[in-house]
Amino acid sequence: MKCFARHGYHAASVSHIIEEADIARGTFYLYFKSKHDIFKEILDAFISHISAQINLVDMKSETSPLLQMRANIDRTLNAITEKPELAKILFNEAVGLDDETQSRLKEFYGRLISIIRSAIERGVEFGIIREVDSAIAACVALGAIKEVVTQTAILGNLKIAKSNLIDGMMDIFFGGA
Amino acid sequence: MKCFARHGYHAASVSHIIEEADIARGTFYLYFKSKHDIFKEILDAFISHISAQINLVDMKSETSPLLQMRANIDRTLNAITEKPELAKILFNEAVGLDDETQSRLKEFYGRLISIIRSAIERGVEFGIIREVDSAIAACVALGAIKEVVTQTAILGNLKIAKSNLIDGMMDIFFGGA
Amino acid sequence: MKCFARHGYHAASVSHIIEEADIARGTFYLYFKSKHDIFKEILDAFISHISAQINLVDMKSETSPLLQMRANIDRTLNAITEKPELAKILFNEAVGLDDETQSRLKEFYGRLISIIRSAIERGVEFGIIREVDSAIAACVALGAIKEVVTQTAILGNLKIAKSNLIDGMMDIFFGGA
Amino acid sequence: MKCFARHGYHAASVSHIIEEADIARGTFYLYFKSKHDIFKEILDAFISHISAQINLVDMKSETSPLLQMRANIDRTLNAITEKPELAKILFNEAVGLDDETQSRLKEFYGRLISIIRSAIERGVEFGIIREVDSAIAACVALGAIKEVVTQTAILGNLKIAKSNLIDGMMDIFFGGA
DNA sequence: CATGAATGAGCATTCATTCAT
DNA sequence: CATGAATGAATGCTCATTCAT
């Protein structure tokens, strides 16, 4: 993780990895079929973990839709903050990777957008959210989350306590509702 | 540009570049110090071009602040849409590049955020925008623009006419104002 | 044997051997000093076995010299046909092996040639064989046997019953005597 | 050639080759696609060259069939003697090579055998050669030539002038005719 | 100015061998 | 005795860079 996050897929060499892990060259290939294999394994696990944090908003639940959305963001932010290196990979390694990985990434983001979009549409339907173009709004929301994570957890440019961050984002998105 | 955008910095080889440009190997090194040098030059020019599209919001101008913001977004989107390949690099190649380039990128995004932030703060001050945490909001806005560009101009997942896109984003950001 | 014959010395890996033998890696090195050691042992045993099949032609024996030669060829062919894999090694792995093995091989073939040569010379002496250059003739005979074995037992290009084969060769060598 | 002949295909490394040729690693790959490519190229050229030395025996020619055969052997021996290293490869590298090369080798030897066989059959037909099993005889002849070459040109065990060698072989094969 | 053959450091990967359990 | 995880030297190959023409 550390190596891939620091140097990206291409520049992270097996030599870096085994030096960081303090194991021999052969040992690496005892546990991973190839350099690509370890990257896929790391990325897959992280995508699954992140995906598991996000639940579809249930309008029949006792918890209010807004609180459900907040909980989704909260859990996702937690998961990402725990492994900022992986988030860096997830947000930046879309270029120059093999087609399989690229489509895995595309699928992941597609799923994310469609979840967010359906949440927005339900919100509009139930009058919680003002009428907006849900396609654009979902895109905006995803980009917002990615950028906030990048600036706080990855780059460290923006230093804000997590709870304030979530409240701030909820406020911006849902107009202080 | 074509090569870097298509394959990313690492996978784009000097061989690709000289083949695409139909020049000899030596000729390449006559005009660029290194592979990294041409990349830096391309990136720098694009960053300057984008930066030039964004004007600070002038409250004394005859044009309303909102329209100035809209014009900023419009021009930026135009500049990006003209060179989607470069945008792809700008948005995705933050990992695995040398420290110098990474800090150039960091600086560029920092400048962007501070411009957006000051615009938001003025907007709040003049009652155009509802009171929000400007640091978070600037971050949200930047991420939103990046993601919208990525999904429309780069990935092509989201097919929306540019004017509708801007209106949609203005609507989302400024509450239908 | 199976591994070395199937893939040759270099391409046959210790992994192949221990898998085929269904033993652990360490166990292999308990019984053989090295990969080369097991190869040497196999080759040595086979060379000894083949050598044991060949008796010097005894002119005082009741059995005719020609029949003694025939019996030599018969026994040798039998020994080889029983282990075609080893014959393949013996006939083809002369290149790329260490000097020690190469000289062992050279010595084996040297012994074979001198046995054949002395048999030919006795045959000429006793008027059984027409006068020929015994050095060349011995070489011709050895090469003939090697090639016949290769084409029948190893490559399977030439499909001939063993007894016909021997008769055919005797006929060619000893002029229908 | 030198490297492949000395160490065989597998043990001859690209490092050996470039050291022997006194060129850089990259230069090697400028002229050959891979290690396998250079081997194939060497082998193919030699096979073609050898094949070119052998003419079908023409019964209508003014030159006697026996002299034609002698000329064939003469030319072939010359071609081989000029490049003993290549002959070593040709005669010994049947094991452990890729299927393509193996079948190329098999085809070459098959062609050789069928040429020899048809020559023998014509010889029998025209009463020059005593009636023999042509399949076995062709095999015997090929093996004889290979072994004679190995012992004289490659191993140097048998030191005989080329003309004596050919006469000796003709004598053995064609009964002093 | 332009060329492209030559370079060699660096890469991912393999595999014979060792040794603590 | 048997095991198999760990090792690291060696391999085939790539590619950014140089320099004589």
Side-chain angles (χ1 to χ4, degrees):
Chain A
M1 284 185 209
K2 228 186 271 186
C3 293
F4 285 127
R6 187 145 46 224
H7 307 106
Y9 178 76
H10 284 100
S13 72
V14 174
S15 294
H16 290 146
I17 297 173
I18 62 173
E19 199 177 329
E20 185 74 44
D22 200 30
I23 54 163
R25 231 170 179 68
T27 312
F28 173 88
Y29 285 93
L30 222 51
Y31 293 94
F32 303 100
K33 279 209 309 289
S34 63
K35 176 184 160 182
H36 184 251
D37 183 53
I38 189 179
F39 182 73
K40 210 181 78 175
E41 214 150 283
I42 290 177
L43 203 62
D44 275 6
F46 192 56
I47 286 183
S48 299
H49 183 55
I50 298 287
S51 296
Q53 310 306 319
I54 304 168
N55 302 327
L56 277 179
V57 171
D58 178 6
M59 304 310 288
K60 290 169 202 141
S61 157
E62 292 184 10
T63 322
S64 89
L66 235 50
L67 278 180
Q68 287 182 50
M69 292 284 307
R70 196 189 191 288
N72 274 339
I73 297 178
D74 189 19
R75 279 192 304 267
T76 306
L77 248 47
N78 274 337
I80 289 173
T81 316
E82 274 163 23
K83 309 251 184 227
E85 296 125 341
L86 288 178
K88 200 175 170 188
I89 295 172
L90 199 58
F91 291 169
N92 286 293
E93 282 279 8
V95 187
L97 296 180
D98 64 310
D99 290 352
E100 197 203 334
T101 307
Q102 233 160 313
S103 69
R104 200 190 315 277
L105 239 43
K106 207 168 167 175
E107 188 213 311
F108 170 65
Y109 281 122
R111 203 163 56 234
L112 238 51
I113 285 193
S114 84
I115 289 173
I116 298 174
R117 189 172 178 178
S118 89
I120 292 173
E121 283 169 354
R122 291 187 196 197
V124 171
E125 195 182 323
F126 284 76
I128 300 162
I129 305 176
R130 171 172 47 83
E131 184 113 15
V132 288
D133 182 319
S134 68
I136 300 176
C139 209
V140 163
L142 174 62
I145 293 172
K146 277 168 72 174
E147 192 66 27
V148 166
V149 167
T150 302
Q151 296 293 337
T152 54
I154 298 173
L155 295 181
N157 287 341
L158 187 60
K159 288 181 188 13
I160 292 185
K162 203 197 60 188
S163 65
N164 293 341
L165 194 60
I166 302 177
D167 287 333
M169 289 181 69
M170 292 297 288
D171 182 45
I172 292 166
F173 286 145
F174 304 112
Chain B
M1 282 185 210
K2 229 187 269 185
C3 293
F4 284 127
R6 188 144 48 223
H7 306 107
Y9 178 74
H10 285 100
S13 72
V14 173
S15 293
H16 288 148
I17 296 171
I18 62 172
E19 198 179 329
E20 186 74 43
D22 200 30
I23 54 162
R25 228 171 183 67
T27 312
F28 174 88
Y29 284 92
L30 230 46
Y31 292 91
F32 301 102
K33 274 210 316 287
S34 65
K35 175 183 162 184
H36 184 253
D37 182 54
I38 189 179
F39 182 74
K40 211 179 73 177
E41 217 149 282
I42 290 176
L43 205 61
D44 274 5
F46 192 56
I47 286 182
S48 299
H49 182 56
I50 298 286
S51 297
Q53 310 307 318
I54 304 169
N55 303 327
L56 276 182
V57 171
D58 177 7
M59 303 312 288
K60 291 167 202 144
S61 157
E62 291 184 11
T63 322
S64 90
L66 233 50
L67 278 180
Q68 288 182 50
M69 294 281 313
R70 198 189 188 286
N72 274 340
I73 296 179
D74 190 18
R75 279 192 303 269
T76 307
L77 248 46
N78 275 337
I80 289 173
T81 317
E82 274 163 24
K83 308 246 184 239
E85 298 127 341
L86 287 178
K88 200 175 169 189
I89 294 172
L90 200 58
F91 293 169
N92 285 293
E93 284 277 8
V95 186
L97 298 179
D98 64 311
D99 291 352
E100 197 202 334
T101 307
Q102 234 161 314
S103 67
R104 199 188 316 276
L105 240 42
K106 207 168 163 175
E107 188 212 311
F108 170 64
Y109 282 124
R111 202 161 58 234
L112 239 51
I113 286 192
S114 83
I115 290 172
I116 299 175
R117 189 171 177 180
S118 87
I120 292 174
E121 281 169 356
R122 291 186 197 198
V124 171
E125 198 182 322
F126 286 76
I128 302 162
I129 306 175
R130 168 173 49 82
E131 182 116 17
V132 287
D133 182 319
S134 67
I136 300 177
C139 209
V140 163
L142 174 61
I145 292 172
K146 278 168 70 175
E147 192 67 27
V148 166
V149 167
T150 303
Q151 295 294 335
T152 54
I154 299 174
L155 296 181
N157 287 340
L158 187 61
K159 288 179 178 45
I160 291 184
K162 204 195 60 183
S163 66
N164 293 341
L165 193 60
I166 301 178
D167 287 334
M169 287 181 71
M170 293 297 286
D171 181 45
I172 291 165
F173 286 146
F174 304 112
Chain C
M1 285 186 208
K2 228 185 271 184
C3 294
F4 284 127
R6 187 143 49 221
H7 306 108
Y9 177 75
H10 284 101
S13 71
V14 173
S15 293
H16 288 147
I17 296 172
I18 63 172
E19 198 179 329
E20 186 74 42
D22 202 30
I23 54 163
R25 228 171 180 69
T27 312
F28 174 88
Y29 284 91
L30 230 46
Y31 292 92
F32 301 100
K33 276 211 312 288
S34 65
K35 177 184 161 182
H36 184 253
D37 183 53
I38 189 178
F39 182 74
K40 210 180 74 177
E41 217 150 280
I42 290 176
L43 205 63
D44 275 4
F46 192 55
I47 286 183
S48 300
H49 182 56
I50 299 285
S51 297
Q53 310 306 319
I54 305 169
N55 301 329
L56 277 180
V57 172
D58 178 6
M59 304 311 290
K60 292 167 200 145
S61 159
E62 293 183 8
T63 323
S64 89
L66 234 51
L67 278 180
Q68 286 181 50
M69 295 278 314
R70 195 189 192 286
N72 272 340
I73 295 178
D74 189 17
R75 278 193 304 268
T76 305
L77 248 46
N78 275 337
I80 288 173
T81 317
E82 273 164 23
K83 307 245 184 242
E85 297 127 344
L86 287 179
K88 198 174 170 189
I89 294 172
L90 201 57
F91 292 168
N92 286 293
E93 283 278 7
V95 186
L97 297 178
D98 64 312
D99 292 350
E100 197 203 334
T101 307
Q102 234 161 312
S103 67
R104 200 189 316 276
L105 240 43
K106 205 169 167 177
E107 187 213 313
F108 170 64
Y109 282 124
R111 204 162 57 233
L112 239 51
I113 285 191
S114 83
I115 290 172
I116 298 175
R117 188 173 178 179
S118 86
I120 291 174
E121 281 168 356
R122 290 185 198 199
V124 171
E125 196 183 324
F126 285 78
I128 301 163
I129 305 176
R130 169 172 49 83
E131 182 114 16
V132 288
D133 182 319
S134 67
I136 300 176
C139 209
V140 163
L142 174 61
I145 293 172
K146 278 168 71 174
E147 192 66 27
V148 166
V149 167
T150 302
Q151 295 293 336
T152 54
I154 297 172
L155 295 181
N157 287 341
L158 186 61
K159 288 182 178 43
I160 292 185
K162 203 195 59 185
S163 65
N164 293 340
L165 193 61
I166 301 178
D167 287 334
M169 288 182 70
M170 293 297 287
D171 181 45
I172 291 165
F173 286 147
F174 304 112
Chain D
M1 285 185 207
K2 226 186 271 186
C3 292
F4 284 128
R6 187 145 47 224
H7 306 108
Y9 179 75
H10 283 101
S13 72
V14 174
S15 294
H16 289 147
I17 296 173
I18 62 173
E19 199 177 329
E20 184 73 43
D22 200 30
I23 53 162
R25 232 175 177 65
T27 312
F28 174 88
Y29 285 94
L30 221 50
Y31 293 93
F32 301 101
K33 278 209 311 289
S34 64
K35 176 184 161 182
H36 184 252
D37 182 53
I38 188 178
F39 182 74
K40 212 181 76 176
E41 215 150 281
I42 291 177
L43 205 61
D44 275 6
F46 193 56
I47 286 183
S48 299
H49 183 55
I50 298 286
S51 296
Q53 310 306 318
I54 304 170
N55 302 327
L56 277 181
V57 172
D58 178 5
M59 304 310 289
K60 291 167 201 142
S61 158
E62 292 184 9
T63 322
S64 89
L66 233 50
L67 279 180
Q68 287 181 50
M69 292 285 306
R70 196 189 190 288
N72 274 340
I73 296 178
D74 190 19
R75 280 191 304 269
T76 306
L77 247 47
N78 275 336
I80 289 173
T81 316
E82 273 163 24
K83 308 251 185 224
E85 296 126 342
L86 288 178
K88 200 175 170 189
I89 294 172
L90 199 57
F91 292 169
N92 284 292
E93 281 280 7
V95 188
L97 297 179
D98 64 309
D99 291 351
E100 197 204 334
T101 307
Q102 235 162 313
S103 68
R104 200 190 316 276
L105 241 42
K106 209 170 167 174
E107 188 213 311
F108 170 65
Y109 281 122
R111 203 164 56 235
L112 239 51
I113 285 192
S114 84
I115 289 173
I116 298 174
R117 190 173 176 177
S118 88
I120 292 174
E121 283 169 355
R122 292 186 195 197
V124 171
E125 197 183 322
F126 285 75
I128 301 162
I129 306 176
R130 168 173 48 84
E131 182 114 18
V132 288
D133 181 319
S134 68
I136 300 177
C139 208
V140 163
L142 175 62
I145 292 171
K146 277 168 72 174
E147 192 67 26
V148 166
V149 167
T150 303
Q151 295 294 336
T152 55
I154 298 173
L155 295 182
N157 287 341
L158 187 61
K159 288 180 191 2
I160 291 183
K162 204 196 61 185
S163 65
N164 293 340
L165 193 61
I166 301 177
D167 288 334
M169 288 182 69
M170 292 297 289
D171 182 45
I172 291 166
F173 286 145
F174 303 111

